[in-house]
Amino acid sequence: MGVRVETTVKLGKHRVRPPAICAAVMAEGIDVMEARVNSAIEQGADVIELRLDGLRELEGWQGLLRDDVPMIVTNRAEREGGHFKGGERERIGPLVEAIELGAACVDIELSTPRQELEEVLRAAREGETSVLLSYHNFDGVPARGDLFERAKRMERVGCDIAKLACFAKRPEEAIEMLNFLVRARDALGVPVIAFAMGEAGKFTRILAPLLGSPLMYAEVGKATAPGQLSLVEMRRLMDALEGTERVEEIVDLAPEDRRLQKLLRLSPPS
């Protein structure tokens, strides 16, 4: 089986074939952000993430939305590595508006207070917008059971895609994220994005797609998370991996595992 499998992931009215490259676009000004969106599309991004929390002023952000490429609208909370410092009511406002404007997908944190989270979910259900529920941990990689509980909660809450990203201080922690992904892809009824952030987890960003993660995040002009590869790097690597067999049978990886060593030879240098 090749890297580009035949299944697709639904993002609003769009369908993308995994593994898809999602260009995370963030800037302080609308003009720069628009230029980076255009650059990302020219460089072959399959999906665009609009990181609204990086903007100094939100006025006019709606003009960034496009119909020709699926877009994920995000307004990341500061507690999960974002730049938005206001209240939750203010933070979800653009997400609800994005849904009303027909955005393909919105990303909202699982840690969002219940009332605001339900408001976003309800608005999405009334339209065609997909919901990506996310969890980010910059302190380290929790136990596998904790990751599973969060992922299962995401599914119960009603997401279309679950995303879990944790900061790895050591390669062993990063490997745990891959082990979690292998189990989660079969145990959950929704697509699961999972990888490790940071330099120690950089290799998981390219290996996760071989283990079933449908989206890979790449930066355009400015990294939005530690360890993120550029879109140019990611596209080059995915082209090189075309035809590589997708890994199906790995259950418990360890640093000395020959299967892991084989995969690491495919990954970019730190």
Side-chain angles (χ1 to χ4, degrees):
M1 183 182 296
V3 170
R4 291 194 177 276
V5 294
E6 291 303 317
T7 57
T8 60
V9 174
K10 186 176 183 297
L11 291 175
K13 64 182 181 180
H14 299 269
R15 283 198 171 272
V16 297
R17 179 175 295 177
I21 299 177
C22 178
V25 179
M26 184 165 64
E28 292 185 353
I30 294 288
D31 290 347
V32 175
M33 201 162 176
E34 184 175 16
R36 288 178 178 171
V37 167
N38 292 333
S39 176
I41 293 172
E42 290 172 3
Q43 292 174 36
D46 302 301
V47 181
I48 304 289
E49 180 188 33
L50 297 177
R51 283 289 300 271
L52 301 184
D53 53 293
L55 290 169
R56 287 192 306 267
E57 300 289 339
L58 280 173
E59 184 178 358
W61 74 265
Q62 300 87 344
L64 296 170
L65 291 173
R66 297 176 57 151
D67 291 327
D68 57 335
V69 61
M71 288 188 157
I72 302 173
V73 180
T74 303
N75 200 14
R76 183 72 69 225
E78 190 175 27
R79 64 180 176 274
E80 296 208 21
H83 299 278
F84 188 84
K85 295 180 171 66
E88 288 295 274
R89 296 298 307 169
E90 182 184 358
R91 187 174 71 84
I92 71 162
L95 300 183
V96 174
E97 187 175 3
I99 293 169
E100 293 171 347
L101 291 171
C105 182
V106 293
D107 175 325
I108 185 165
E109 300 83 351
L110 182 64
S111 63
T112 303
R114 181 175 177 178
Q115 182 175 346
E116 284 75 20
L117 178 57
E118 289 182 350
E119 182 176 341
V120 171
L121 291 168
R122 183 168 56 251
R125 283 193 292 267
E126 292 172 355
E128 291 188 79
T129 301
S130 300
V131 174
L132 187 157
L133 266 176
S134 59
Y135 165 76
H136 307 82
N137 188 326
F138 287 85
D139 294 326
V141 178
R144 200 180 301 173
D146 292 339
L147 291 171
F148 258 104
E149 178 52 41
R150 286 182 171 86
K152 289 176 181 176
R153 184 182 164 203
M154 290 177 181
E155 186 176 24
R156 290 195 302 268
V157 166
C159 70
D160 298 292
I161 304 171
K163 175 192 173 189
L164 298 94
C166 301
F167 188 90
K169 301 180 180 70
R170 305 182 309 278
E172 292 82 359
E173 287 186 315
I175 291 168
E176 269 304 293
M177 289 301 296
L178 296 181
N179 285 324
F180 160 73
L181 173 60
V182 170
R183 288 175 168 81
R185 71 182 186 194
D186 297 324
L188 272 68
V190 296
V192 179
I193 301 167
F195 57 87
M197 296 182 286
E199 285 300 312
K202 201 170 185 178
F203 68 92
T204 68
R205 290 179 177 271
I206 193 65
L207 299 190
L210 299 180
L211 296 166
S213 189
L215 291 184
M216 303 165 293
Y217 289 81
E219 58 94 353
V220 180
K222 179 179 181 179
T224 62
Q228 205 169 56
L229 298 169
S230 72
L231 176 55
V232 172
E233 288 177 304
M234 188 66 80
R235 176 53 67 194
R236 176 177 56 81
L237 286 162
M238 290 312 300
D239 289 345
L241 287 170
E242 194 69 52
T244 301
E245 288 188 0
R246 182 179 172 187
V247 179
E248 296 289 351
E249 300 302 328
I250 290 178
V251 176
D252 283 303
L253 288 170
E256 67 277 8
D257 195 311
R258 291 181 183 177
R259 295 167 298 180
L260 176 62
Q261 295 303 319
K262 181 179 179 180
L263 290 176
L264 286 174
R265 286 197 291 273
L266 300 173
S267 67
S270 298

